[in-house]
Amino acid sequence: MNVRMSCVGLRNLLQGLSFSVKYYSKHNHLQTICLYSKTQQKKCHILDCSGSTCTHKTLPTGSILPWRLFSCKQEGTKIPSKRKQNTSIITSELLYKNLLKSEQENWNDISARYKAMTERIKEKLEELHNKYTFNSVSPRIRFGENVYFEENGCIFLSKADDDEGNVDVLFSTKDLGFSDAFIQRIRISPDQRYMAISLKSENSEEATCVIMKLDHSPVIEKVIPSVFSFEWATNDVLYYTSQKNLKCQNVFMTTFTDQKHTKLVYTEQDARFFVDIYCTKDRRFLTINSNSKTTSEVWLIDCRHPFKLPALVQARTKGVIYHIEHRNDELYILTTYGELAEYKLMKAPVASSGMENWQLVYALEKKTKLVDLEMFSDHCVMFLKNAGHLYLNVISFVSHLVQSIELPTWACEFELESHPEHTTSTCYFQLTSPVHPPKCFAYSFKENNLIEQAVQEVPIITNCHTTRLLAKSKDETLVPITVFHSMNSKELHRKPLLVHVYGAYGIDLNMSFKEEKLMLIEEGWILAYCHVRGGGELGLSWHKDGCQYNKLKGLHDLKACIMLLHQLGFSQPKYTALAAASAGGVLAGALCNTDPELIRAMVLQAPFVDVLNTMMKTHLPLTIEEQEEWGNPLADEKCMKYIKSYCPYQNIKPQCYPSVFITAYENDQRIPLTGVLRYVQKLRKAALDHASRIRKKVITSFIVPGNWIPSIILDIQANGSHCDSSWEDSLNEVARHLAFLNKELEEVCHLQHHMKSGK
């Protein structure tokens, strides 16, 4: 590639349907949120754009994950006496600081034992990263003959028919003073004179929108802080949403005409609803989407008349989620409306868009997950999952036929590209899996076939076997498991097994490519992904069957999955480790309390382990909307008892626990760090109490089950956040996790050797 400025590496572009957001690194996939809740009467404000200019205030917030967890903002205990309250807050802060300092000192003392192995792992991961980054293809935004793409903080412009790789650099985070930020989302104005970019720091939730004027020498036209989503209505009118305290409830319009101004056009007043902006594929409408976990409301902005008031599509109706696309003066509505609570594609005239006029176009089969939908001039492409397999459904609006396209069996995840031109005859996307780097594919509407695009190849592992299993849970429900292992592996019952789980918010386990997964396969590990209830792998009903009063079903599913793996000869408990992140920590932590004998070690990343205490604190900015996932323990004693029955922190007891390594972040605004600190302290004490009791009863020269003291380690990172970390920070974090797991399982092997020698 011939570049007029030097930029290398890879980052991602963002695009999504309505409430869908794609995230780099930890959460690199598109998901649509649809969770169970109650809803109230509609509350919103529409402001006339033709009125006086509204003042635009700076709102210090940032990007929201598809599953929005909790702020780490804390308050002291509320006591009637102001003097006593202040004393309580000071005492609480001192305890917090002392705990934090103690854990940091503890990590500094023990980290040396992992240093050599961590460095070895880092070298291997860097080698794999360089190898497959070179082979990867950055997502493209196509505008006629122009192609826009991003690499390592630089945005490039090239020509579609240029085979020599000549590119122009339009934007560079480093050269323009944004060196500590990475590019999240790019939107090009219809006439390609302006480019809006969202930038996010790795150490905070705060995102910034930068608007560039794309003349012969691109310049910054405007910088808007605290922006979540944004779209161009016309060549010089941009709509965007702002955030405050992890909430997004205001929509603004800003113009780049001779008379520049910014106005507030919409305000959502219900705290359970989150607002974003989407542009229909044909660029006819912008949609203001106000979504709770279970209910949607959409307002239309006509791009031909961007200063007119937004028009309501359908007033919010309890339990009905819907998203809007447009084609030929008809609205295409992706919705849960109807008898079966799964997604359906419906349509209605723009002029009469009420629910009573919605007509069914296509309904998904039961237990099918809709990953995303792309609308074209004569076709609609649905990206689907069913029982772990990926496929496409291509709907022709001309022939009214639906064609199902099978995809390679190794594929586990879609990575979608942006298609500004809805008239294109080709749909581009990538397929990937935890051990397969992204591979480019295209579906041709003219030829009605799938094309595997030729790219510069780097040999991809070919001796990895993918197995899909079904475990029978406590209530007889069959739970999918995806297993990866080397075809050359023998005696699988003696191989280390790493089990992954999430099971919340209707979100799938992340199964996109990660260098560390490929490394583990090459070193003989078995990888297992348990698609338990609460996640979204089998559609909306799969999530509903694992939230609120059904949370224990996810725990039963996880136990059944691990037991089946062992029964089939995939490793055994003493060689088994469990990995989880964020809300996945609920099920992982619960399993450690109920069935600690099933695993030897566990690694948790920013885990949610103190559900009850967090859900009791309504001052946290996201607690109210999260009640639709976990319940409201303050208003319902039955709910409080139910949460207490599975909450990891509440159920710690003296017993033989597996070793645990937890990574947490000082800047995490979603998982309260105080809850993680309390969890670690309580878990460590319980493990030591158990070992002390056993030691009094058993005197032996060898370590035996019941006398083993687990390692309980908390690594608190000053850099990074719940949403994103740089490649360097992620590299260090992953290397430490793998060094810990190798060390723990290595001790098992040495122990067995010594015990045999003793015989």
Side-chain angles (χ1 to χ4, degrees):
M1 181 172 68
N2 301 322
V3 191
R4 296 189 179 93
M5 291 170 59
S6 177
C7 298
V8 293
L10 174 66
R11 288 286 186 180
N12 72 316
L13 299 177
L14 296 175
Q15 61 91 29
L17 171 60
S18 183
F19 204 48
S20 299
V21 187
K22 190 175 181 181
Y23 278 86
Y24 171 73
S25 186
K26 298 188 180 77
H27 311 293
N28 190 24
H29 53 74
L30 284 164
Q31 300 297 346
T32 301
I33 308 307
C34 354
L35 312 183
Y36 178 77
S37 87
K38 300 176 182 178
T39 186
Q40 297 178 348
Q41 186 72 21
K42 173 178 67 68
K43 296 181 181 179
C44 63
H45 287 166
I46 295 291
L47 282 75
D48 190 340
C49 295
S50 61
S52 60
T53 302
C54 298
T55 303
H56 177 223
K57 297 180 180 180
T58 300
L59 306 173
T61 55
S63 298
I64 292 293
L65 281 176
W67 52 104
R68 299 193 305 283
L69 291 176
F70 306 93
S71 166
C72 59
K73 183 179 177 182
Q74 298 292 318
E75 292 182 1
T77 305
K78 293 184 178 180
I79 300 175
S81 167
K82 186 175 181 180
R83 185 174 181 179
K84 290 182 178 180
Q85 183 178 355
N86 291 339
T87 303
S88 177
I89 292 173
I90 293 171
T91 303
S92 178
E93 289 177 350
L94 286 173
L95 288 172
Y96 170 79
K97 289 179 180 178
N98 288 337
L99 273 177
L100 184 61
K101 183 179 179 181
S102 174
E103 289 299 335
Q104 289 170 335
E105 290 174 349
N106 182 60
W107 167 246
N108 291 335
D109 290 340
I110 64 176
S111 59
R113 77 172 71 162
Y114 303 106
K115 187 174 181 179
M117 188 173 292
T118 298
E119 291 303 315
R120 180 187 70 81
I121 293 171
K122 281 175 62 177
E123 289 179 7
K124 177 65 174 176
L125 290 177
E126 285 178 325
E127 177 185 332
L128 289 171
H129 178 72
N130 294 333
K131 179 178 181 180
Y132 290 109
T133 296
F134 178 76
N135 184 52
S136 62
V137 178
S138 177
R140 262 56 175 166
I141 298 178
R142 306 165 191 268
F143 266 93
E145 63 177 10
N146 290 335
V147 177
Y148 299 83
F149 63 99
E150 182 264 346
E151 289 186 1
N152 196 36
C154 294
I155 298 176
F156 300 93
L157 170 63
S158 66
K159 298 297 182 182
D161 57 356
D162 187 353
D163 297 328
E164 298 181 2
N166 296 306
V167 298
D168 292 324
V169 178
L170 303 178
F171 178 84
S172 168
T173 54
K174 182 178 180 181
D175 293 345
L176 294 176
F178 299 98
S179 57
D180 63 339
F182 62 86
I183 296 169
Q184 270 197 324
R185 171 182 268 184
I186 301 172
R187 291 294 183 267
I188 311 295
S189 65
D191 63 358
Q192 304 183 60
R193 288 196 304 121
Y194 291 98
M195 175 173 64
I197 310 157
S198 63
L199 302 172
K200 186 175 179 298
S201 168
E202 296 157 351
N203 298 323
S204 73
E205 296 281 352
E206 189 169 340
T208 300
C209 182
V210 177
I211 293 90
M212 303 288 297
K213 190 171 184 179
L214 302 180
D215 287 331
H216 296 293
S217 179
V219 294
I220 295 179
E221 184 78 9
K222 187 171 186 175
V223 177
I224 310 172
S226 307
V227 173
F228 175 65
S229 60
F230 49 91
E231 295 288 352
W232 293 98
T234 65
N235 296 331
D236 46 24
V237 177
L238 182 76
Y239 277 76
Y240 64 91
T241 57
S242 64
Q243 282 188 281
K244 186 176 183 179
N245 294 331
L246 302 180
K247 295 181 181 295
C248 194
Q249 295 181 303
N250 292 319
V251 178
F252 292 87
M253 178 197 69
T254 188
T255 65
F256 296 89
T257 57
D258 294 336
Q259 295 181 342
K260 298 178 174 62
H261 62 276
T262 299
K263 294 184 178 182
L264 177 67
V265 297
Y266 178 93
T267 296
E268 173 62 61
Q269 293 186 322
D270 191 326
R272 295 168 302 163
F273 283 74
F274 183 90
V275 181
D276 75 347
I277 299 287
Y278 173 71
C279 183
T280 59
K281 200 63 174 296
D282 60 1
R283 302 199 63 87
R284 170 66 189 281
F285 292 104
L286 297 189
T287 62
I288 298 176
N289 312 290
S290 189
N291 301 284
S292 77
K293 296 292 195 299
T294 65
T295 304
S296 299
E297 184 174 84
V298 180
W299 297 75
L300 297 180
I301 299 164
D302 191 335
C303 292
R304 299 175 304 181
H305 307 285
F307 300 107
K308 282 189 175 181
L309 292 175
L312 178 64
V313 174
Q314 164 64 44
R316 60 191 69 175
T317 303
K318 181 181 177 180
V320 176
I321 294 172
Y322 71 98
H323 309 281
I324 296 296
E325 261 294 352
H326 176 265
R327 173 184 174 271
N328 292 353
D329 291 325
E330 288 187 311
L331 298 179
Y332 282 79
I333 305 153
L334 189 63
T335 181
T336 59
Y337 173 68
E339 293 182 5
L340 295 176
E342 296 292 344
Y343 273 120
K344 308 160 195 68
L345 185 63
M346 307 184 83
K347 68 178 182 178
V350 173
S352 52
S353 60
M355 192 180 292
E356 66 278 5
N357 298 312
W358 293 4
Q359 298 177 359
L360 181 65
V361 176
Y362 182 79
L364 293 181
E365 294 180 3
K366 191 176 180 181
K367 293 188 176 181
T368 298
K369 169 62 180 279
L370 175 67
V371 179
D372 210 338
L373 176 147
E374 287 283 5
M375 184 71 70
F376 300 89
S377 57
D378 294 325
H379 297 83
C380 171
V381 180
M382 290 184 168
F383 297 83
L384 305 170
K385 283 185 182 180
N386 188 291
H389 295 278
L390 305 188
Y391 65 102
L392 307 178
N393 271 359
V394 181
I395 302 172
S396 171
F397 297 126
V398 177
S399 66
H400 304 290
L401 297 177
V402 179
Q403 186 172 1
S404 186
I405 310 298
E406 293 186 2
L407 300 175
T409 56
W410 58 262
C412 297
E413 201 83 73
F414 293 105
E415 293 188 4
L416 308 183
E417 294 195 6
S418 184
H419 305 280
E421 293 185 302
H422 75 294
T423 56
T424 181
S425 61
T426 307
C427 175
Y428 299 93
F429 59 95
Q430 296 180 1
L431 297 177
T432 183
S433 88
V435 296
H436 289 82
K439 197 168 186 62
C440 297
F441 288 82
Y443 180 80
S444 170
F445 300 124
K446 290 182 179 179
E447 303 297 331
N448 291 325
N449 64 354
L450 187 68
I451 304 166
E452 184 174 337
Q453 293 187 293
V455 295
Q456 187 171 6
E457 289 290 341
V458 171
I460 296 175
I461 185 169
T462 56
N463 65 339
C464 181
H465 185 67
T466 303
T467 303
R468 290 181 171 87
L469 306 171
L470 291 172
K472 186 176 290 187
S473 193
K474 185 177 180 179
D475 61 359
E476 304 291 310
T477 298
L478 297 179
V479 183
I481 315 171
T482 307
V483 184
F484 303 92
H485 65 85
S486 173
M487 292 181 180
N488 300 328
S489 292
K490 298 179 181 179
E491 296 186 312
L492 288 175
H493 68 286
R494 297 175 61 86
K495 298 296 182 181
L497 166 66
L498 183 58
V499 177
H500 303 75
V501 69
Y502 186 70
Y505 301 102
I507 301 298
D508 299 5
L509 269 171
N510 183 0
M511 298 188 70
S512 57
F513 175 69
K514 300 292 182 185
E515 291 87 351
E516 64 267 23
K517 309 305 181 187
L518 183 55
M519 186 192 78
L520 290 175
I521 291 294
E522 291 176 346
E523 294 188 353
W525 282 68
I526 304 166
L527 305 179
Y529 292 77
C530 302
H531 309 294
V532 303
R533 280 173 285 185
E537 286 87 345
L538 294 181
L540 301 181
S541 59
W542 194 247
H543 165 250
K544 187 176 180 180
D545 209 22
C547 72
Q548 291 197 344
Y549 288 105
N550 292 321
K551 277 295 176 186
L552 281 171
K553 291 183 179 179
L555 176 59
H556 298 154
D557 292 352
L558 177 59
K559 179 180 178 180
C561 289
I562 296 176
M563 291 182 67
L564 177 66
L565 289 166
H566 293 159
Q567 290 168 9
L568 295 178
F570 292 106
S571 193
Q572 48 190 300
K574 59 188 173 184
Y575 300 131
T576 299
L578 180 60
S582 192
V586 175
L587 296 183
L591 183 83
C592 279
N593 289 328
T594 60
D595 300 276
E597 72 282 354
L598 288 179
I599 59 175
R600 166 74 186 196
M602 178 170 70
V603 289
L604 301 176
Q605 183 184 53
F608 187 32
V609 287
D610 193 6
V611 184
L612 185 59
N613 284 323
T614 304
M615 294 305 299
M616 297 282 282
K617 296 176 180 177
T618 55
H619 64 271
L620 297 176
L622 297 175
T623 298
I624 293 176
E625 61 184 280
E626 296 301 333
Q627 290 170 356
E628 297 176 354
E629 177 72 18
W630 310 98
N632 184 359
L634 286 174
D636 187 348
E637 186 177 354
K638 179 184 175 183
C639 176
M640 181 186 294
K641 290 180 179 178
Y642 188 78
I643 293 177
K644 193 173 183 179
S645 72
Y646 67 79
C647 175
Y649 175 76
Q650 297 291 331
N651 291 280
I652 294 172
K653 58 188 177 184
Q655 61 179 340
C656 185
Y657 277 99
S659 288
V660 180
F661 190 110
I662 297 176
T663 297
Y665 308 99
E666 282 192 63
N667 297 315
D668 195 336
Q669 292 181 273
R670 304 174 184 279
I671 301 293
L673 187 55
T674 51
V676 178
L677 287 167
R678 285 196 299 265
Y679 174 79
V680 168
Q681 294 287 321
K682 188 175 181 180
L683 185 64
R684 193 178 287 143
K685 183 179 184 302
L688 290 174
D689 286 349
H690 173 74
S692 178
R693 294 176 188 177
I694 297 298
R695 194 175 291 114
K696 293 177 182 178
K697 298 179 181 180
V698 180
I699 300 176
T700 177
S701 58
F702 297 111
I703 302 175
V704 296
N707 194 38
W708 170 68
I709 302 177
S711 300
I712 311 294
I713 300 171
L714 175 58
D715 175 19
I716 301 172
Q717 293 293 305
N719 295 323
S721 69
H722 195 89
C723 297
D724 303 279
S725 294
S726 66
W727 158 248
E728 292 75 16
D729 288 338
S730 294
L731 173 66
N732 291 324
E733 188 176 304
V734 168
R736 287 191 292 267
H737 286 179
L738 298 185
F740 168 79
L741 292 179
N742 275 286
K743 203 78 172 177
E744 289 298 317
L745 299 185
E746 186 180 72
E747 289 179 2
V748 175
C749 296
H750 288 167
L751 171 60
Q752 284 186 318
H753 174 73
H754 290 315
M755 293 182 72
K756 288 180 180 178
S757 299
K759 291 180 181 179

